[in-house]
Amino acid sequence: MFKALGFDYHYLKQGNDLETLIALFQEVKDADHPVLLHIHTQKGHGIPFMEENREAFHAGGPYDAQTGQYLGSNAGASYNSVAADLLLEKMAKDPTVIVVNAETPMFLFNQEQRKQAGKQFVDVGIAEEQAATMSTGLAKNGVKPVWSVASTFMQRTYDQWSHDIALNNQLVTVLVHSASVNAMNDESHLGFFDIPFLSHIPNVVYLAPTNKEELAMLDWAIEQKDHPVAIRVPVGPLKETGIPDTTDYSQLNKNQVFQKGSEVVLFGLGNFFSLTEAVAKELQEKYNITATLVNPKFITGLDTELLDSLKANHKLVVTLEDGLLEGGYGQTIASYLGDSNLKVKNYGIDKAFHDRYDHQELMA
């Protein structure tokens, strides 16, 4: 096929042989025309347990060379595993719930769970655009699709999000994984650009749970009949309150006032809600200020009634978000309150391709 298209085409079967690779590169490096190299490699070549289970060793950390076990791995419950359990339970009861993914199933389901899901799990290969549009088609035909995607790979689908899902207001549920400064940290895999990306597309409802109980909003998202809904799956240690989440998410953009106070109000979005709790504690201990603490839950809209009420007994509004500062959630609040006497301070991540950063330094 490549030769028929006119390419200077070279196929190398021994793609894991370094000397053969170098010889091929030397042969073509001074060519004055386009060259296509087709190199056959094997993931985990020469290491038996990697050859046998390529998925498990796709992108792990340090491991024991004898046993193949990852060092320091935590097999406990996580937000992703909680979401997986919720979905599998729902899929067992409702055959119209279909999970769609583009070649990164490990963010949600492990290999055994995919067997359990059977035909209700669809992997479209490395094609996020296809996953988005297929989910739209499924929704159009009465299915309840749940598209599981890593935030950093979702950036490939802006057109499909806008033109297919949102413009047609299709009932697609999207689980957005690794959207955090504490997720992958190299410049090609940053997950914290999602809020400006997604929150400004009409018809989309983007939610930010802060604990295990709130992740049950997934059930509401799948069953509601009004909008496409995305859920920013929390990143970090699993937080359990033991208190069922009774939020009526059909009342869009209604924020939860977690603690009532005065002078200062703190908005902690998603992953950073626990950070606002720590700030509130310090304000109380050091300055005797009981701050109002707000868990927004909704990224894609403002609780204007709440914001208007703050003017009576507050002076300062502070927003913290685990995402890009420019065009982020906090700046929408600052814009709304711009003609009031309230001062607004926004905290988030500065706009840059941060690479191999230290998480604490970047947050500071």
Side-chain angles (χ1 to χ4, degrees):
M1 179 182 71
F2 293 118
K3 289 182 178 178
L5 291 171
F7 282 104
D8 182 355
Y9 170 81
H10 300 258
Y11 174 69
L12 179 62
K13 186 175 182 179
Q14 300 84 21
N16 287 96
D17 187 306
L18 187 60
E19 290 186 4
T20 309
L21 268 176
I22 292 173
L24 176 60
F25 292 153
Q26 287 177 333
E27 178 185 342
V28 302
K29 71 183 181 69
D30 295 322
D32 60 358
H33 54 273
V35 176
L36 194 151
L37 304 182
H38 182 177
I39 300 172
H40 190 153
T41 61
Q42 180 186 23
K43 185 184 283 287
H45 182 76
I47 304 176
F49 53 78
M50 289 188 176
E51 291 180 358
E52 292 168 10
N53 193 345
R54 293 172 292 174
E55 179 183 320
F57 292 92
H58 170 67
Y63 62 92
D64 185 307
Q66 301 301 319
T67 66
Q69 295 296 311
Y70 282 114
L71 304 178
S73 61
N74 180 13
S78 66
Y79 286 107
N80 287 355
S81 71
V82 169
D85 291 341
L86 288 170
L87 270 174
L88 286 171
E89 182 179 349
K90 193 165 187 66
M91 293 163 77
K93 298 175 182 176
D94 187 347
T96 67
V97 177
I98 305 293
V99 174
V100 181
N101 179 260
E103 197 71 6
T104 54
M106 66 290 295
F107 282 107
L108 184 64
F109 290 152
N110 60 34
Q111 291 161 320
E112 286 303 313
Q113 288 171 321
R114 294 192 314 262
K115 291 178 183 176
Q116 184 180 339
K119 292 182 179 179
Q120 287 173 259
F121 174 78
V122 181
D123 190 334
V124 302
I126 306 179
E128 281 77 8
E129 302 89 340
Q130 164 68 11
T133 300
M134 179 178 178
S135 297
T136 308
L138 288 169
K140 179 72 174 173
N141 285 277
V143 176
K144 300 171 184 175
V146 178
W147 169 30
S148 169
V149 61
S151 176
T152 184
F153 302 136
M154 187 174 68
Q155 65 197 14
R156 302 168 183 164
T157 66
Y158 192 90
D159 183 53
Q160 286 74 25
W161 252 114
S162 179
H163 188 272
D164 296 348
I165 298 175
L167 180 60
N168 294 288
N169 206 29
Q170 288 300 318
L171 305 180
V172 177
T173 300
V174 184
L175 290 174
V176 182
H177 302 279
S178 296
S180 172
V181 68
N182 290 306
M184 293 178 278
N185 72 336
D186 56 277
E187 61 185 359
S188 65
H189 284 66
L190 301 178
F192 47 69
F193 296 133
D194 59 305
I195 294 177
F197 169 123
L198 198 52
S199 65
H200 300 298
I201 300 177
N203 288 336
V204 176
V205 175
Y206 198 11
L207 299 173
T210 68
N211 56 52
K212 175 184 177 181
E213 288 76 14
E214 288 175 1
L215 199 52
M217 65 176 62
L218 175 58
D219 186 72
W220 170 82
I222 294 172
E223 297 299 335
Q224 58 84 40
K225 304 296 182 186
D226 298 313
H227 296 287
V229 176
I231 297 174
R232 201 175 201 245
V233 180
V235 173
L238 185 67
K239 179 180 178 182
E240 299 184 58
T241 66
I243 304 171
D245 180 23
T246 58
T247 304
D248 181 1
Y249 289 99
S250 64
Q251 294 187 29
L252 298 183
N253 308 323
K254 197 71 177 174
N255 298 166
Q256 177 194 10
V257 179
F258 186 80
Q259 171 180 293
K260 289 185 178 181
S262 61
E263 299 293 321
V264 178
V265 56
L266 304 166
F267 283 79
L269 188 67
N271 296 324
F272 276 8
F273 182 69
S274 58
L275 184 57
T276 60
E277 290 181 290
V279 172
K281 183 179 179 182
E282 190 162 330
L283 283 173
Q284 186 72 63
E285 293 175 350
K286 288 188 176 181
Y287 304 100
N288 199 30
I289 293 175
T290 301
T292 296
L293 193 53
V294 179
N295 174 7
K297 296 188 180 180
F298 290 87
I299 302 175
T300 38
L302 298 179
D303 188 340
T304 55
E305 183 180 355
L306 172 61
L307 291 173
D308 289 339
S309 72
L310 298 175
K311 301 171 186 177
N313 61 345
H314 292 80
K315 297 177 181 178
L316 176 65
V317 177
V318 179
T319 68
L320 298 100
E321 61 196 291
D322 190 359
L324 205 64
L325 185 64
E326 291 192 38
Y329 175 76
Q331 288 193 349
T332 63
I333 288 182
S335 176
Y336 181 80
L337 294 175
D339 61 354
S340 74
N341 291 324
L342 285 169
K343 303 294 184 184
V344 183
K345 291 284 287 182
N346 301 133
Y347 292 92
I349 303 164
D350 63 309
K351 187 171 70 174
F353 288 113
H354 300 281
D355 190 34
R356 303 293 174 177
Y357 56 83
D358 177 272
H359 301 84
Q360 291 300 323
E361 287 181 6
L362 184 59
M363 286 171 63

